[in-house]
Every structure is written in structure tokens, then in C-alpha cells.
């Protein structure tokens, strides 16, 4: 049995929903397509498809195997592409996800540039502040900001992400300036209501009783919270409270005097900006090139100086 051909036939039949349609697309008799599927099922020892005269339905095992086969065939296509045209030709569909705020500013502008460099790659960009399950939802990779939860994903650190407490000068005149992180509990703090990177709260660097510096987490609160970072940014600029924001979000407003930092001496060490992707033996060429594309931009200090705020 030609395994690769059997995999291709299985994917074709499963996606087209018909032996006849799959056979027609390949230019062979439906009986040949049927024999390939029979041989594949016998080899695997499981039923992949339930075939009737009217329709074809995937079994539970068939659904799982379909996803693996599609990924395998994509890898084979990319492997072939990587050795053609001097090893720089990528193709296929690249699916990326990123946090909404960061993605709008620092991922979306880089996507068209990448597609221009690799015109045989089509790209879908998903912007969402929820933590997307890459494998379950079919994404090739994600850009993530902040502390990463333990997972089976591979992560590549692209740049530092420093967070600061900021408020408008007017708010600080009205409510006072906190001198210690614990004083935030008496302030109107603008917090994210659902963001995995802040589930432990706001991070600060403080000395323990033994004199050692350690990162502590506080959970400030206030009358306003929101699941959207841009809304919190707007509320902060409107003087509604203190927010804990990344420098890439607020640097321009700080420079212009619209926002003022507080508790700088307690700022925690930066966490990271990462690209994460499922652990795979052979990463598709389009994904490898996308990661290199991000590195080329994020790795330059001049990039962050030119794109702050």
C-alpha cells in the first residue's frame, strides 16, 4: 500500500464527502478510491468512514485521523517547497492568533509585508484576548504577551515586555499619588476582567523580611473593569483611575505628558513577548519564515522606539 497516496485519498473523500467526487478530482474510477480506503482501514485496524449509498460520515477515529493527515500532507508539501527555489519558497495557509491590542499595533502591520515576500502563502490573522487552543482550533502559531502558562507548546521569546502603573496628572491631583503598591487598594484601579496574563494580579518588586527582592502580586480593584485593554486605556486617559499597562501601549502618552507613571521603583522585571506553536518534528516552512520575520523586526531596539504608543 502506498501510504501517502492512501492518506491523500482519505483526505479527499472526507473533505469532498463523496467517493465519486474524490475519484473524479483525481481522474480515477470510484472503485480504485474505495480499494485505497479499504486497504488503509485494514492497515490501521480501525473504521475511518461510514459509507452508505447516500453519504459518507467520519467516525470518531476518522475525524482525529483526518486532522493528522491534513497536517502531514501540508508538511510534505512544505518540505517539497523548501528544497525548491533555493529553499526559500513557502506556500500554504498560515493561521496566526494574537492579543487584540498588541496584534493591531505590532502584528497586523507585519502580515502584508510577509505575504509580499512570500506570495504563495495565504494568511488569516485572528485577534482575541482569550487564550486560543492552537491545536483544537487549527492555528499554526500565536503571539503572546506576558507570563506563559505551562503547556506542551514551544515558545520563542521575541522581546521584553515591561509594565508600568500610569494615571493622568489630574487623577493624581484629585486622589493623591500612591507611594507603596499596597496603597493601590485605596485607589480606583482599572483592571482587566478576563485576561489570562493577569490572573495573578499586578506584579511588583519588593524586599522581603530577609532583605531579598521578590516579585509580589496584588489584586487592585475599582468601580470599573473591562475585558478589552483598549477600553481600559481610554478610561485611564479620561482620568478614571490607575492602570497597569505595557510600555508599548502608553509610551507616547507618557512622553506627551498625558499620563504619568507611579511606583516606578517597584516595577517588576519585564516578562516577555513570545511566539508559541505546537511541538512538531517538522515545523512548516511558512511558520518558520513567519517566526524569522517577527524576529527581524522585534529584535531591533529601533523597532520599539519607532512604534511606541
Amino acid at each position: 500500500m502506498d501510504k501517502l497516496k492512501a492518506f491523500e485519498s482519505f483526505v479527499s473523500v472526507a473533505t469532498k464527502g463523496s467517493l465519486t467526487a474524490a475519484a473524479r478530482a483525481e481522474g480515477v474510477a470510484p472503485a480504485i478510491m474505495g480499494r485505497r480506503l479499504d486497504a488503509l482501514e485494514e492497515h490501521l485496524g480501525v473504521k475511518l468512514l461510514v459509507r452508505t449509498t447516500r453519504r459518507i460520515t467520519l467516525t470518531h477515529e476518522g475525524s482525529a485521523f483526518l486532522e493528522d493527515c491534513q497536517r502531514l500532507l501540508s508538511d510534505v508539501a512544505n518540505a517539497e517547497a523548501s528544497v525548491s527555489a533555493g529553499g526559500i519558497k513557502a506556500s500554504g495557509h498560515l493561521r496566526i492568533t494574537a492579543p487584540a491590542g498588541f496584534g493591531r499595533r505590532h502584528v497586523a502591520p507585519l502580515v502584508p509585508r510577509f505575504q509580499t515576500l512570500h506570495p504563495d502563502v495565504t494568511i488569516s490573522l485572528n485577534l482575541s484576548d482569550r487564550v486560543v487552543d492552537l491545536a483544537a482550533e487549527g492555528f499554526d502559531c500565536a503571539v503572546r504577551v506576558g507570563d506563559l502558562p505551562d503547556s506542551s507548546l514551544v515558545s520563542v521569546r521575541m522581546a521584553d515586555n515591561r509594565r508600568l502603573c500610569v494615571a493622568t496628572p489630574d487623577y493624581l491631583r484629585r486622589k493623591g499619588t500612591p507611594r507603596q503598591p499596597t496603597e493601590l487598594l485605596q485607589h480606583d484601579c482599572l483592571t482587566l476582567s478576563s485576561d489570562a496574563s493577569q490572573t495573578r494580579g499586578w506584579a511588583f518588586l519588593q524586599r522581603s523580611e530577609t532583605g531579598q527582592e521578590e516579585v509580589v502580586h496584588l489584586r487592585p480593584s475599582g468601580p470599573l473593569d473591562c475585558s478589552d485593554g483598549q477600553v481600559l486605556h481610554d478610561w485611564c486617559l479620561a482620568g478614571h483611575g490607575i492602570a497597569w499597562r505595557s510600555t508599548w501601549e502608553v509610551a507616547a502618552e507618557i512622553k506627551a505628558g498625558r499620563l504619568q507613571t507611579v511606583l516606578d521603583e517597584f516595577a517588576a522585571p519585564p516578562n516577555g513577548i513570545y511566539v508559541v506553536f505546537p511541538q512538531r518534528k517538522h515545523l512548516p516552512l511558512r511558520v518558520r519564515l513567519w517566526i524569522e520575520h517577527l524576529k527581524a523586526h522585534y529584535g531591533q531596539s529601533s523597532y520599539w522606539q519607532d512604534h511606541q504608543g
Side-chain angles (χ1 to χ4, degrees):
M1 181 185 66
D2 183 336
K3 289 184 181 178
L4 188 60
K5 178 59 72 175
F7 292 166
E8 290 175 340
S9 298
F10 167 65
V11 170
S12 181
V13 171
T15 54
K16 295 181 185 300
S18 163
L19 270 175
T20 303
R24 186 184 304 117
E26 192 174 330
V28 299
I32 293 176
M33 195 70 69
R35 285 196 291 271
R36 289 177 187 167
L37 295 178
D38 291 339
L40 179 60
E41 290 179 331
E42 184 176 352
H43 172 73
L44 296 173
V46 297
K47 194 74 173 173
L48 300 173
L49 298 163
V50 178
R51 286 175 268 173
T52 68
T53 55
R54 292 189 176 184
R55 60 182 298 185
I56 288 179
T57 306
L58 284 164
T59 63
H60 176 74
E61 293 80 4
S63 295
F65 191 60
L66 175 61
E67 182 179 330
D68 290 338
C69 281
Q70 289 173 319
R71 187 160 44 244
L72 172 67
L73 294 175
S74 176
D75 287 347
V76 169
N78 278 287
E80 292 176 340
S82 68
V83 296
S84 66
I88 58 171
K89 183 178 174 62
S91 62
H93 190 60
L94 177 64
R95 298 194 70 213
I96 309 160
T97 181
F102 186 86
R104 280 191 293 267
R105 298 186 191 209
H106 298 294
V107 180
L110 300 181
V111 169
R113 301 180 200 176
F114 180 80
Q115 205 281 324
T116 299
L117 292 171
H118 305 284
D120 291 333
V121 177
T122 58
I123 304 170
S124 294
L125 174 62
N126 169 272
L127 298 181
S128 173
D129 286 328
R130 69 184 178 87
V131 179
V132 174
D133 186 329
L134 301 189
E137 299 182 44
F139 285 96
D140 292 297
C141 64
V143 177
R144 290 186 177 160
V145 179
D147 297 323
L148 295 180
D150 293 335
S151 74
S152 60
L153 298 176
V154 180
S155 63
V156 179
R157 189 170 180 131
M158 294 283 163
D160 287 343
N161 177 61
R162 187 175 298 278
R163 288 186 180 270
L164 302 168
C165 284
V166 294
T168 60
D170 176 66
Y171 172 86
L172 297 175
R173 281 192 296 269
R174 289 186 289 110
K175 297 295 184 79
T177 300
R179 304 300 178 186
Q180 295 285 332
T182 52
E183 293 179 21
L184 290 172
L185 302 177
Q186 282 75 54
H187 279 267
D188 297 334
C189 293
L190 304 168
T191 58
L192 284 168
S193 55
S194 60
D195 185 291
S197 69
Q198 289 187 24
T199 53
R200 292 188 295 172
W202 298 7
F204 298 96
L205 192 65
Q206 292 187 298
R207 288 195 179 275
S208 67
E209 294 180 356
T210 61
Q212 298 294 317
E213 287 191 331
E214 60 183 10
V215 175
V216 298
H217 292 84
L218 299 178
R219 289 183 170 277
S221 62
L224 301 174
D225 66 52
C226 183
S227 62
D228 186 274
Q230 184 60 48
V231 171
L232 293 185
H233 186 78
D234 294 342
W235 285 348
C236 188
L237 282 172
H240 295 303
I242 298 175
W244 191 54
R245 311 304 292 155
S246 295
T247 52
W248 57 262
E249 298 171 287
V250 296
E253 284 85 358
I254 293 171
K255 185 177 181 180
R258 292 190 294 273
L259 289 176
Q260 182 176 327
T261 62
V262 297
L263 302 172
D264 291 355
E265 63 270 36
F266 299 99
N271 51 28
I273 297 168
Y274 300 88
V275 172
V276 300
F277 49 90
Q279 188 160 4
R280 298 167 64 179
K281 189 174 181 179
H282 300 292
L283 196 64
L285 179 63
R286 63 184 179 274
V287 181
R288 296 203 306 271
L289 292 176
W290 169 249
I291 293 171
E292 292 302 318
H293 184 66
L294 292 182
K295 280 183 182 177
H297 290 83
Y298 295 170
Q300 302 178 41
S301 59
S302 60
Y303 171 86
W304 299 105
Q305 293 167 4
D306 295 340
H307 294 80
Q308 295 284 19

